[in-house]
Amino acid sequence: MRGRLFSAEDAPDAPRVALINDAMAGRLWPGEDSVGRRFKLAAVDAEAPWFTVVGVVGEMHRQGPEREAIAQMFEPLAQNPSRLVTLLVRTSSDDPLTLSRSLETVVRAVDRRVPIYGVRTLEDGYGAFLAQRRFQTALMIGFSAVALLMAAIGIFALMQHSVAMRTREIAIRIAVGAEATEILRMVLREGMALSLWGLGLGLLGAIALAPIGSSLLFGVTASDPTTFVAVSLLLTGVAAAACYIPARRAMKVAPVAALRQSM
């Protein structure tokens, strides 16, 4: 993002340098340019080397995509050798794993004793990293879908029963000269008023309980407005259909027949 990456000049006997991520730069030097600044991993008067920041890199969510990125620093391998090295290879091949044998040959040419293991594509590694979260998300989606279906069925059944119970009333209104459109508007208005009250109470409860599942979310907030609007429109449509369908059916029944059935 700023500064430079490591180079051959960052040798073992050269001054210690480091790359830091944007989170660490913002924590140590907020609002300032951190390239060229120095820090140490101990008290100022402690016997510890000073690191000079030569560049700033982006943030990585290594503790989980749903958690905020922590401050991180990186050292050149020449200045801080490690027994464990992860080698990343970029290729344009459709099947990157076909290069594994060639890479193994190259590594063996450098040192035949080096063990090579864990060869996989970056997609496979990222998939394994997210496996548990995907499973939890799949369970949550499944339970949410069942709950949404049950809510839709319940709303439809309740509204349909409510309108069906008023078949005699509708027949009497039609018999005394009420227009069909007027009856339909009345049923929809009363039914939707009840549904909107329930929807409002449901939204308040959902907003209050949303933080419970926030630990499983990333890239979206627990009170995502798109999700709330989409579900609200769906349930409103279900309620409107539940009022409209039985009301239309009731208006097609002859008033005399409806009165006889209700007696």
Side-chain angles (χ1 to χ4, degrees), residues 134-203:
R134 284 175 174 168
F135 177 73
Q136 295 171 342
T137 304
L139 284 180
M140 179 178 292
I141 291 175
F143 287 129
S144 300
V146 171
L148 184 61
L149 179 62
M150 293 177 63
I153 293 174
I155 291 174
F156 189 88
L158 178 63
M159 299 306 298
Q160 188 175 33
H161 177 71
S162 175
V163 176
M165 292 292 291
R166 302 178 63 182
T167 301
R168 183 181 181 185
E169 175 192 346
I170 294 174
I172 294 175
R173 289 178 180 273
I174 295 176
V176 298
E179 295 290 338
T181 55
E182 181 182 350
I183 297 295
L184 183 61
R185 284 197 299 267
M186 179 194 69
V187 173
L188 287 176
R189 182 175 61 254
E190 295 179 1
M192 292 306 297
L194 180 62
S195 300
L196 291 177
W197 271 104
L199 185 63
L201 294 175
L203 285 175

Side-chain angles (χ1 to χ4, degrees), residues 40-215:
K40 63 168 52 180
L41 302 177
V44 178
D45 55 351
E47 291 294 333
W50 284 92
F51 292 91
T52 301
V53 178
V54 296
V56 179
V57 298
E59 298 174 349
M60 294 188 298
H61 297 263
R62 299 179 64 179
Q63 285 67 41
E66 75 280 1
R67 300 182 181 180
E68 295 185 2
I70 63 174
Q72 289 180 299
M73 60 168 289
F74 307 89
E75 299 179 67
L77 192 62
Q79 295 185 357
N80 186 11
S82 173
R83 289 174 172 264
L84 176 64
V85 176
T86 301
L87 183 65
L88 299 179
V89 180
R90 176 179 293 175
T91 175
S92 58
S93 174
D94 294 334
D95 187 6
L97 290 179
T98 57
L99 298 177
S100 59
R101 187 169 297 276
S102 300
L103 291 173
E104 183 177 353
T105 302
V106 173
V107 174
R108 298 298 185 205
V110 177
D111 190 343
R112 299 182 60 86
R113 300 169 299 174
V114 174
I116 302 175
Y117 59 92
V119 180
R120 60 183 178 179
T121 64
L122 193 60
E123 291 181 353
D124 292 341
Y126 190 63
F129 180 71
L130 296 179
Q132 180 179 358
R133 293 168 178 83
R134 284 175 174 168
F135 177 73
Q136 295 171 342
T137 304
L139 284 180
M140 179 178 292
I141 291 175
F143 287 129
S144 300
V146 171
L148 184 61
L149 179 62
M150 293 177 63
I153 293 174
I155 291 174
F156 189 88
L158 178 63
M159 299 306 298
Q160 188 175 33
H161 177 71
S162 175
V163 176
M165 292 292 291
R166 302 178 63 182
T167 301
R168 183 181 181 185
E169 175 192 346
I170 294 174
I172 294 175
R173 289 178 180 273
I174 295 176
V176 298
E179 295 290 338
T181 55
E182 181 182 350
I183 297 295
L184 183 61
R185 284 197 299 267
M186 179 194 69
V187 173
L188 287 176
R189 182 175 61 254
E190 295 179 1
M192 292 306 297
L194 180 62
S195 300
L196 291 177
W197 271 104
L199 185 63
L201 294 175
L203 285 175
L204 292 177
I207 294 174
L209 297 176
I212 296 178
S214 60
S215 61

Side-chain angles (χ1 to χ4, degrees), residues 13-37:
D13 55 349
R16 302 292 292 273
V17 296
L19 295 173
I20 63 173
N21 67 348
D22 201 35
M24 184 172 178
R27 181 175 300 179
L28 296 182
W29 301 284
E32 303 179 15
D33 186 9
S34 55
V35 177
R37 297 296 187 94

